[in-house]
Amino acid sequence: MGDGRDAMAQARRSAPPAPDFTLRQLAYLVAAADDGTIAAAAARLHVSASAISDAITELERTLGAHLAVRRRAHGLTLTTAGAHVVAQARSLLAAARELQTSLAAADGELVGPIAVACYPTLAPTVLPPLLAGFAAQHPGVDLHVLETTQDGLVGRIESGEVDVAFVYDRLVPGNPRRARLFALPAHVLLAPGDPLAAQERVPLEDLVDRDLILLDAPPSSEHILSLFAARGLTPRIRQRVASYESVRTLVGRGLGYGILVQRPANAASYEGFPVELREIEPAVEPVGVDVIWSAEGTPPPRVQALLDFATTIDWPRVGGATG
């Protein structure tokens, strides 16, 4: 008995001391860094601005480093030390959340939130099997969906705000890990009465002097324009729209042609007008659709389960991905 008590006492004496700062202080610093101002962070977290300011001041005192420059008119700017602390704090806060979540789960059950980002043009293809199939397998997992363009995704994987994202393989922001899900080439969309609809394949040279309804949502717009640029062509853009259904609707009305990657199973526009799909001649390189996630650390089990689920779906057979 004595030996056991001595061993326990020795373990207590050799255990590393607890840090003098708190997770709350780290969370407030990260929030202020993300929002750019203490006032914005306070409003989002429903606390007073003074609480956040005092927490950052105390954290600076404890760490012995100046972490942020605070200017009333210009918000908050991290110092080099502050940027280092914020990067480390994200990992610590994520680990703390995972600890809390894991204790709430029954043996073998996956629980907790997953933040899923998706380009709006991919959402009709990607979201149904995730929200139906994956949710049915893991009812304890709460999927939070964010539809955003490429520009809106910048930094969100790295910050931990987004766990996984479904994106086109071109111009992916950051340097995340990724897995290919499927790939499809862009095609031409025409009204049924268009003379070019009589052809099985359509050269871009036959389109360049016609009215283009451009899907103006990065990276789709860049990809479409690059197809023309690769052949030394400049399309005549009649209208720029933000959704592929708008492209299909205007094409169905006979107001121009479109170039899309999306291949909905429904061959009619939103208004019910038929549209014709024709491949591009010569064939263009397919656009890949990837799932991406953070390159830092190992994904939590529930996120890994979602990645495994996504990579085992027969995507070309899923509704919106078929031609």
Side-chain angles (χ1 to χ4, degrees), residues 31-223:
D34 288 345
D35 290 321
T37 69
I38 288 176
R44 178 166 61 86
L45 298 178
H46 305 291
V47 299
S48 67
S50 62
I52 293 183
S53 181
D54 291 347
I56 294 174
T57 299
E58 181 61 20
L59 185 61
E60 290 178 321
R61 187 196 66 76
T62 301
L63 296 178
H66 187 41
L67 303 179
V69 178
R70 290 174 261 180
R71 299 188 182 94
R72 185 178 298 276
H74 301 283
L76 178 142
T77 303
L78 294 176
T79 64
T80 301
H84 175 73
V85 171
V86 165
Q88 297 297 315
R90 293 190 195 280
S91 298
L92 289 172
L93 292 169
R97 287 191 295 268
E98 286 305 312
L99 174 61
Q100 185 176 17
T101 299
S102 66
L103 294 177
D107 290 342
E109 181 186 8
L110 297 179
V111 299
I114 302 179
V116 179
C118 184
Y119 288 168
T121 50
L122 289 173
T125 298
V126 169
L127 296 185
L130 293 185
L131 296 179
F134 182 79
Q137 291 182 15
H138 303 287
V141 174
D142 187 12
L143 297 180
H144 298 274
V145 175
L146 169 68
E147 290 190 47
T148 185
T149 63
Q150 175 191 22
D151 296 340
L153 186 59
V154 174
R156 286 179 155 176
I157 291 283
E158 292 78 7
S159 70
E161 183 181 352
V162 169
D163 294 305
V164 299
F166 294 85
V167 300
Y168 296 111
D169 65 348
R170 299 164 190 271
L171 303 176
V172 175
N175 187 32
R177 296 173 186 165
R178 63 173 66 197
R180 176 59 46 85
L181 300 180
F182 61 93
L184 292 170
H187 61 272
V188 179
L189 204 65
L190 300 164
D194 192 309
L196 292 180
Q199 303 175 199
E200 291 185 3
R201 307 181 72 88
V202 178
L204 293 182
E205 288 77 4
D206 292 351
L207 297 167
V208 71
D209 293 327
R210 293 160 146 256
D211 289 335
L212 169 64
I213 311 298
L214 178 66
L215 175 56
D216 195 14
S220 297
S221 48
E222 288 90 341
H223 174 56

Side-chain angles (χ1 to χ4, degrees), residues 229-288:
R231 301 187 193 180
L233 304 173
T234 302
R236 186 173 74 195
I237 300 171
R238 173 172 180 172
Q239 193 63 252
R240 296 172 181 264
V241 296
S243 75
Y244 72 84
E245 280 296 350
S246 294
V247 174
R248 287 164 53 81
T249 297
L250 296 180
V251 170
R253 285 271 187 167
L255 299 178
Y257 71 94
I259 293 181
L260 297 174
V261 172
Q262 299 77 19
R263 301 181 179 226
N266 185 359
S269 72
Y270 189 80
E271 293 182 311
F273 293 106
V275 291
E276 298 286 346
L277 183 157
R278 295 294 181 267
E279 302 297 343
I280 297 173
E281 176 66 37
V284 296
E285 182 181 355
V287 176

